[in-house]
Amino acid sequence: ETSKYRSLAGFSSVLFVVLSLVKVFLSQSPEAACLSAEDISPSSNGPRDDDPDDLFAEATEEVSLDSPERQPILSDGPSPAITPVTPVMISPRVDVFDRSPDQDEDEEENRDTFDIQISVSDPEKVGDGMNAYMVYKVTTKTSLSIFSRDEVCVKRRFSDFLGLYSKLASKYMHMGYIVPPAPEKSIVGMTKVKVGKEDLSSVEFVEKRRSALERYLLRTVKHPALLKDPDVLQFLESSELPRAVSTQALSGAGILRMVNKAADAVNKMTIKMNESDAWFEEKQQQFENLDVQLRKLHASVESLVCHRKELSVNTASFAKSAAMLGNSEDHTALSRALSQLAEVEEKIDQLHQDQSYADFYLISELLGDYVRLITAVKGVFDQRMKAWAKWQDAQVMLQRKREAEAKLQYANKPDKLQQATDEIREWEGKVQQGERDFEQISKNIRREVGRFEKDRVKDFRVVIIKYLESLVHTQQQLIKYWEAFLPEAKAIA
Amino acid sequence: NMTSISEDSDKEKMRSVSVDLNNDASLVIDIPDALCERDKVKFTVHTKTTLSSFQKPEFSVPRQHEDFIWLHDTIVETEEYAGFIIPPAPPKPDFEGPREKMHKLGEGESSMTKEEYAKMKQELEAEYLAVFKKTVQVHEVFLQRLSSHPMFRKDRNFQIFLEYDQDLSVRRKNAKEMFGGFFKNMVKSADEVLISGVKEVDEFFEQEKNFLLDYSIKIKDATAKAEKMTRSHKNVADDYNHISGALNNTAADNNTAFKKHLEKCAEVFEKLRKVEDRMASDQELKLTELLRYYTRDIQAAKDLLYRRARALADYENSNKALDKARLKGKDVAQAEENQKQCLQKFDKLSESGKKELTSFKARRVVAFRKNLIEMTELEIKHAKNSVSLLQGSIEILKSN
């Protein structure tokens, strides 16, 4: 099938520099071929599809404590979760986790090369009007054996990504895994795109989304358990993907909110968790702090992005004005110099624009991603509290059953006694399971947090250097432009 | 709250909106320093002269902004000078920006950390200094324009301004009462309609008129756009400051290695801010101030055209009056005399006007050249500083 593509003149060349920088820090960068940004092309008579997803508000359903998120929310249920670590009976209170998380990880994690490259590209508009949606090409290149081919391209739409996230969240979050959240929905942004406005802001919106989707996938496959998950494999490889239809659940933030609401309910309970493990208390506080700090940092970077854009606009405006002044100037040499000045300022305006893309894609979006990741991390701590509460509940229940049995000893009801004894056995099992689950999730969280911290530090180190290098580039260009102008200014006679 | 500036290496570069001034050693004027008391600026006007009309060869007097305005107005109202471009009056020192910042500082003191407060105070002082430098520059240039003009330098009031070692405020009041600002109001706004409506026979003035009318619009626009551009530049510098602060906050909660890394990053942004700030204020001094000044100077040139146009209108009216008188046979001699004077005035204005406008163009070209060169050189210098700062930091961060 062929669709018409139009190339984004100028935009793609500007973005190429930035995008390749983004890719490098997240993974080895794929080839340019998949990168050539293509335009949104309105194809008439595309498949009509009811896509109310993007118009509905995010999930708000109340969730009870019985972990309904374990139940399949979607028309096709998630495949069974992969548990990479077999549950082990660990005696509690013994702090076996003092060693650094590295020693606890799977072999594969310590690989030097992360042998998978993913790119999201070629946004294409399908359909018309309010039923239209964007489709993205997802290309995976890998030598890993779990994949059936070493290169595969599929077409996916935004709700597919949300669907993937909701499946992964429902499978892994309760186990203490930090599941990277999918990008946010945007009603306003998408509406503009649907309506066919091909102005700069909808182009920018699509690019922002494309980039976010790519980062989302890369983060997801970086997680050793998620990489092997059959839903992930299906998402990356399968040419046809069953449509995720349930609207309310299909939002990254919605899922998190749902899960966290459950956790909130836990917190509201009077049971105060007896935190015997200082590590968790410490870490939770740390993440609270980090949340605040990152949000502040993000806000100031967003301000920079905004002001740099303004600077670009104002520089362009001045350039035009200087050109007019040059035309009006009746002294020939000065008139010439003013026109040259106008040209320099125009080039500088472009420079500022490019720099603001770097500001945005390198730093601002990364910080935004981390703000959302922190929410996922906090959610995982809450899951642990839930597991603890469940375990405690089971213990309370067991106690009650034992008391009931004791009472029945004195009554002469052999059937009821038998039932009571059976129930005790049942609840003893649940207590043991509760304890095992709690220990398991605690162990998982320690490992996950260790990995998260490592990644956070690495990401930041890499990005800040890339960013500073982008600033160097801008300044070097400035030097070039002004050095070219200097003789022109001196030539005024 | 007192701030003062004195000789510094940038002095020569500062005073360059108008050049070829202070070339004549017989009368050299500068403003070596100034004091800022609350919002009142006291300029020290320093004169070195070989002219016998002055009592001493070297002297200094303190002057306020209002004294400069008085001097400007008396010159404008002097009939003799109608054929000259009157150097534009310096604008009032505008401390609104720093004042606002100081207010914010006072209000937010309790909610800031010591470091943030110290940093904001530093910014405030830098901004005060920038406004300060600008206002000293325009006041100094005004005096130097007068001293380098063959007629103005001999002006009696100019001499009083330079020499009189008492407070000028008494004289200022008297002057207002005398003139009542009549002439000033008359010539204040050059009537564009009158200027453009005049039937011009002189090719030179026709060209000048067209040029000045168009140029004044363009340069006003360029000034406004340059101001906006500079302000955006300052906003970017401010953002670097906030990012630096946020990075320092984030550093606190990390293990030693990463903490050092973050603190180094915070330091880089802090240094970047300083460079961007300097870039922005140098651009303002060299480009925006240049455009601002010449917007005013173009206005002064237009005022000259206006006065000449009025003189032409007066001459044409006097012709009509003469014809009428001849027709009536009454007051003919008087009408003839009036017509002769009008023609004289018009011719005088045209002759000196031509000279003034020609030298104005030369002056403008030289000033633009000097400022554009200096601005470019400074931009290059700052960009090179940025590059070395950034590259040095990248090395350190990579090696960590």
Side-chain angles (χ1 to χ4, degrees):
Chain A
E1 39 137 357
T2 51
S3 314
K4 293 188 191 69
Y5 295 79
R6 271 208 310 265
S7 85
L8 282 163
F11 194 69
S12 49
S13 57
V14 159
L15 277 180
F16 183 64
V17 174
V18 177
L19 294 177
S20 50
L21 293 178
V22 172
K23 286 188 204 314
V24 169
F25 90 75
L26 277 181
S27 72
Q28 283 78 45
S29 44
E31 265 113 24
C34 272
L35 228 194
S36 54
E38 247 101 32
D39 199 0
I40 317 158
S41 82
S43 45
S44 51
N45 304 324
R48 301 239 24 279
D49 219 334
D50 259 318
D51 187 11
D53 291 353
D54 289 343
L55 297 181
F56 282 77
E58 272 117 39
T60 54
E61 21 181 299
E62 274 293 324
V63 180
S64 78
L65 277 182
D66 282 332
S67 10
E69 66 271 335
R70 289 209 205 201
Q71 296 159 15
I73 313 168
L74 311 168
S75 57
D76 67 327
S79 52
I82 304 281
T83 45
V85 179
T86 45
V88 171
M89 270 296 278
I90 306 169
S91 72
R93 313 290 171 267
V94 173
D95 207 326
V96 296
F97 305 110
D98 226 359
R99 345 160 245 161
S100 80
D102 268 332
Q103 299 167 331
D104 224 22
E105 281 167 354
D106 283 353
E107 284 303 300
E108 283 130 308
E109 280 228 65
N110 294 326
R111 280 197 310 265
D112 277 355
T113 51
F114 186 55
D115 198 11
I116 177 169
Q117 301 165 16
I118 301 185
S119 72
V120 174
S121 62
D122 306 328
E124 195 187 4
K125 184 164 149 194
V126 175
D128 263 328
M130 291 316 284
N131 291 324
Y133 58 93
M134 296 298 293
V135 154
Y136 303 85
K137 183 161 105 177
V138 178
T139 308
T140 308
K141 287 195 189 142
T142 178
S143 61
L144 295 174
S145 52
I146 44 173
F147 288 88
S148 57
R149 302 201 291 289
D150 57 7
E151 178 165 346
V152 58
C153 278
V154 294
K155 293 256 173 84
R156 295 287 179 253
R157 54 187 293 187
F158 185 66
S159 55
D160 294 333
F161 289 80
L162 294 185
L164 175 65
Y165 171 69
S166 83
K167 286 186 195 173
L168 295 177
S170 69
K171 279 196 274 188
Y172 293 103
M173 229 193 276
H174 69 269
M175 296 198 311
Y177 285 33
I178 301 171
V179 181
E184 291 301 314
K185 285 207 241 178
S186 167
I187 298 172
V188 174
M190 255 332 268
T191 310
K192 270 206 237 175
V193 171
K194 284 178 205 266
V195 162
K197 274 191 82 171
E198 279 168 51
D199 61 353
L200 186 63
S201 68
S202 35
V203 165
E204 280 182 3
F205 171 78
V206 171
E207 174 49 34
K208 181 175 164 182
R209 173 161 283 190
R210 184 212 63 78
S211 172
L213 290 174
E214 194 175 85
R215 295 194 307 273
Y216 164 67
L217 285 181
L218 284 167
R219 274 209 185 84
T220 302
V221 297
K222 243 173 109 174
H223 194 297
L226 299 180
L227 172 59
K228 300 197 208 113
D229 183 281
D231 283 319
V232 171
L233 293 173
Q234 185 188 42
F235 181 92
L236 292 175
E237 291 195 310
S238 179
S239 51
E240 283 303 317
L241 204 65
R243 271 292 322 279
V245 288
S246 171
T247 61
Q248 286 176 308
L250 295 185
S251 140
I255 297 276
L256 275 179
R257 216 168 292 154
M258 236 166 54
V259 167
N260 285 338
K261 254 193 163 59
D264 282 344
V266 170
N267 292 339
K268 288 196 190 103
M269 286 159 65
T270 48
I271 300 175
K272 231 323 197 149
M273 174 159 178
N274 218 355
E275 189 56 82
S276 55
D277 195 342
W279 186 91
F280 283 91
E281 208 171 307
E282 226 177 78
K283 280 295 168 189
Q284 254 182 298
Q285 186 56 54
Q286 217 176 304
F287 281 110
E288 287 294 328
N289 295 347
L290 188 61
D291 192 18
V292 170
Q293 291 155 1
L294 280 185
R295 281 177 198 270
K296 208 165 163 209
L297 185 59
H298 188 216
S300 31
V301 172
E302 282 185 318
S303 175
L304 174 66
V305 170
C306 177
H307 284 141
R308 190 137 15 217
K309 277 207 192 126
E310 263 177 33
L311 177 58
S312 161
V313 167
N314 290 339
T315 305
S317 167
F318 173 73
K320 287 203 189 76
S321 188
M324 301 258 285
L325 188 64
N327 283 341
S328 177
E329 175 62 61
D330 65 351
H331 184 274
T332 330
L334 180 55
S335 166
R336 208 181 109 88
L338 285 172
S339 304
Q340 305 281 13
L341 178 66
E343 274 180 37
V344 171
E345 294 288 356
E346 232 180 84
K347 290 200 192 113
I348 291 178
D349 141 49
Q350 188 59 51
L351 214 56
H352 287 314
Q353 230 181 65
D354 294 349
Q355 184 60 58
S356 93
Y357 283 128
D359 294 342
F360 183 69
Y361 282 103
L362 282 180
I363 305 245
S364 182
E365 286 286 79
L366 178 73
L367 287 172
D369 286 351
Y370 267 95
V371 165
R372 276 186 321 189
L373 271 169
I374 301 265
T375 311
V377 173
K378 292 206 291 190
V380 137
F381 277 92
D382 289 342
Q383 291 291 313
R384 176 174 173 269
M385 282 186 70
K386 252 190 62 186
W388 183 84
K390 196 158 182 218
W391 175 27
Q392 297 305 306
D393 284 354
Q395 286 182 323
V396 164
M397 219 30 175
L398 177 63
Q399 184 59 24
R400 262 192 232 152
K401 297 295 178 189
R402 284 192 174 140
E403 284 166 7
E405 196 221 25
K407 278 202 202 119
L408 283 173
Q409 294 278 9
Y410 294 107
N412 191 13
K413 296 179 185 163
D415 311 326
K416 285 234 163 94
L417 190 57
Q418 182 57 41
Q419 185 187 2
T421 315
D422 289 339
E423 281 180 356
I424 288 177
R425 196 146 304 142
E426 183 194 340
W427 280 97
E428 276 173 346
K430 284 194 178 161
V431 167
Q432 280 183 343
Q433 185 61 47
E435 187 175 3
R436 273 202 299 273
D437 288 345
F438 178 71
E439 294 304 329
Q440 186 58 54
I441 194 177
S442 300
K443 185 172 172 222
N444 287 344
I445 289 178
R446 276 181 183 265
R447 191 186 59 232
E448 288 286 283
V449 166
R451 207 171 52 85
F452 176 83
E453 295 281 80
K454 241 175 59 172
D455 285 346
R456 171 170 83 94
V457 169
K458 188 164 121 205
D459 276 354
F460 184 80
R461 279 179 188 262
V462 169
V463 155
I464 196 71
I465 289 183
K466 293 260 161 278
Y467 180 69
L468 294 181
E469 283 172 348
S470 81
L471 290 178
V472 168
H473 173 78
T474 299
Q475 296 296 321
Q476 285 172 333
Q477 287 299 106
L478 274 175
I479 293 173
K480 230 173 75 182
Y481 296 151
W482 286 120
E483 280 181 340
F485 176 71
L486 192 55
E488 300 288 348
K490 288 187 169 160
I492 302 172
Chain B
N1 182 9
M2 309 234 287
T3 334
S4 72
I5 63 161
S6 38
E7 308 277 340
D8 67 341
S9 56
D10 282 328
K11 209 161 95 110
E12 267 320 299
K13 301 213 157 171
M14 259 172 45
R15 280 92 149 157
S16 61
V17 277
S18 200
V19 291
D20 289 348
L21 304 174
N22 265 0
N23 279 345
D24 187 341
S26 64
L27 184 60
V28 175
I29 306 177
D30 69 330
I31 300 182
D33 66 72
L35 275 179
C36 185
E37 262 169 42
R38 289 169 205 284
D39 289 342
K40 273 251 174 298
V41 183
K42 273 210 170 67
F43 303 93
T44 303
V45 179
H46 169 250
T47 311
K48 253 169 136 163
T49 179
T50 59
L51 298 173
S52 51
S53 44
F54 289 93
Q55 290 182 4
K56 286 188 267 186
E58 187 168 357
F59 47 89
S60 291
V61 292
R63 291 288 177 249
Q64 293 178 22
H65 171 72
E66 287 71 25
D67 300 330
F68 289 76
I69 300 301
W70 164 79
L71 178 59
H72 172 262
D73 290 349
T74 60
I75 291 176
V76 163
E77 286 155 19
T78 308
E79 188 63 35
E80 271 176 71
Y81 301 145
F84 303 137
I85 296 179
I86 318 268
K92 194 163 173 195
D94 179 15
F95 287 97
E96 192 53 49
R99 204 182 306 150
E100 236 184 87
K101 247 195 170 101
M102 186 167 79
H103 207 60
K104 269 198 209 142
L105 192 69
E107 280 181 354
E109 181 171 0
S110 46
S111 62
M112 283 186 229
T113 66
K114 247 201 197 105
E115 292 86 30
E116 280 182 312
Y117 184 77
K119 219 185 266 181
M120 268 205 83
K121 193 151 166 268
Q122 213 182 45
E123 277 173 46
L124 178 61
E125 284 170 6
E127 225 180 279
Y128 244 107
L129 195 64
V131 173
F132 214 47
K133 274 187 182 168
K134 268 193 291 179
T135 196
V136 167
Q137 176 180 270
V138 286
H139 284 78
E140 192 184 68
V141 164
F142 170 69
L143 296 178
Q144 290 173 340
R145 284 280 301 276
L146 294 174
S147 69
S148 53
H149 191 283
M151 293 309 293
F152 294 141
R153 77 203 318 246
K154 294 191 245 170
D155 183 83
R156 178 79 195 120
N157 286 313
F158 185 42
Q159 195 169 348
I160 291 170
F161 177 92
L162 293 174
E163 217 178 17
Y164 188 61
D165 58 3
Q166 307 287 317
D167 195 344
L168 275 180
S169 50
V170 176
R171 286 198 163 247
R172 283 195 268 124
K173 252 190 271 161
N174 291 345
K176 267 216 176 85
E177 282 158 15
M178 248 178 73
F179 293 110
F182 176 64
F183 285 109
K184 192 168 86 172
N185 285 336
M186 226 174 66
V187 302
K188 198 73 192 242
S189 44
D191 191 337
E192 309 233 334
V193 176
L194 181 63
I195 296 177
S196 47
V198 157
K199 206 178 68 165
E200 195 53 73
V201 285
D202 189 331
E203 181 64 32
F204 173 84
F205 281 101
E206 177 67 19
Q207 271 187 355
E208 281 301 307
K209 176 185 80 181
N210 292 330
F211 166 68
L212 285 175
L213 285 178
D214 184 47
Y215 199 76
S216 66
I217 298 171
K218 304 283 162 59
I219 196 168
K220 208 162 163 197
D221 185 60
T223 306
K225 303 283 162 65
E227 280 173 350
K228 267 182 109 173
M229 184 173 69
T230 309
R231 220 173 312 147
S232 289
H233 214 146
K234 294 219 166 111
N235 285 340
V236 168
D238 272 345
D239 287 328
Y240 282 156
N241 192 17
H242 293 137
I243 291 174
S244 174
L247 282 169
N248 268 327
N249 280 346
T250 317
D253 264 343
N254 284 274
N255 65 60
T256 5
F258 194 44
K259 177 177 178 167
K260 277 218 174 71
H261 192 99
L262 286 170
E263 284 173 346
K264 181 78 188 128
C265 293
E267 192 188 303
V268 172
F269 274 97
E270 177 55 38
K271 293 207 177 113
L272 275 178
R273 170 184 84 84
K274 290 206 172 90
V275 178
E276 286 296 322
D277 227 6
R278 283 303 306 273
M279 261 182 168
S281 32
D282 280 343
Q283 191 183 66
E284 198 192 7
L285 265 180
K286 297 293 158 191
L287 184 64
T288 316
E289 275 296 291
L290 173 75
L291 292 170
R292 275 195 199 117
Y293 185 81
Y294 278 95
T295 306
R296 291 194 293 269
D297 223 6
I298 293 278
Q299 185 60 44
K302 273 166 71 179
D303 289 345
L304 170 59
L305 279 191
Y306 172 76
R307 291 193 289 272
R308 181 178 167 274
R310 278 215 73 128
L312 180 58
D314 289 345
Y315 171 62
E316 282 170 355
N317 288 340
S318 75
N319 268 335
K320 292 197 191 114
L322 181 56
D323 289 341
K324 228 201 229 167
R326 281 187 177 141
L327 227 61
K328 283 196 184 147
K330 223 174 97 172
D331 294 324
V332 174
Q334 194 180 35
E336 278 176 346
E337 183 57 33
N338 188 27
Q339 190 236 38
K340 194 168 107 195
Q341 283 193 358
C342 282
L343 181 60
Q344 261 178 7
K345 180 166 175 208
F346 175 68
D347 282 341
K348 184 164 157 232
L349 286 189
S350 297
E351 189 190 324
S352 79
K354 201 172 202 160
K355 268 193 241 149
E356 287 281 299
L357 289 169
T358 309
S359 67
F360 171 59
K361 184 189 335 251
R363 194 174 63 237
R364 186 177 79 248
V365 171
V366 170
F368 268 75
R369 179 179 189 275
K370 182 156 191 267
N371 277 278
L372 288 176
I373 292 174
E374 283 174 359
M375 177 188 77
T376 307
E377 287 172 342
L378 282 169
E379 292 279 325
I380 293 172
K381 176 175 132 194
H382 292 317
K384 285 189 170 155
N385 280 345
S386 276
V387 169
S388 66
L389 156 71
L390 286 165
Q391 283 177 334
S393 306
I394 290 174
E395 278 315 303
I396 293 177
L397 289 173
K398 274 189 172 154
S399 69
N400 255 4

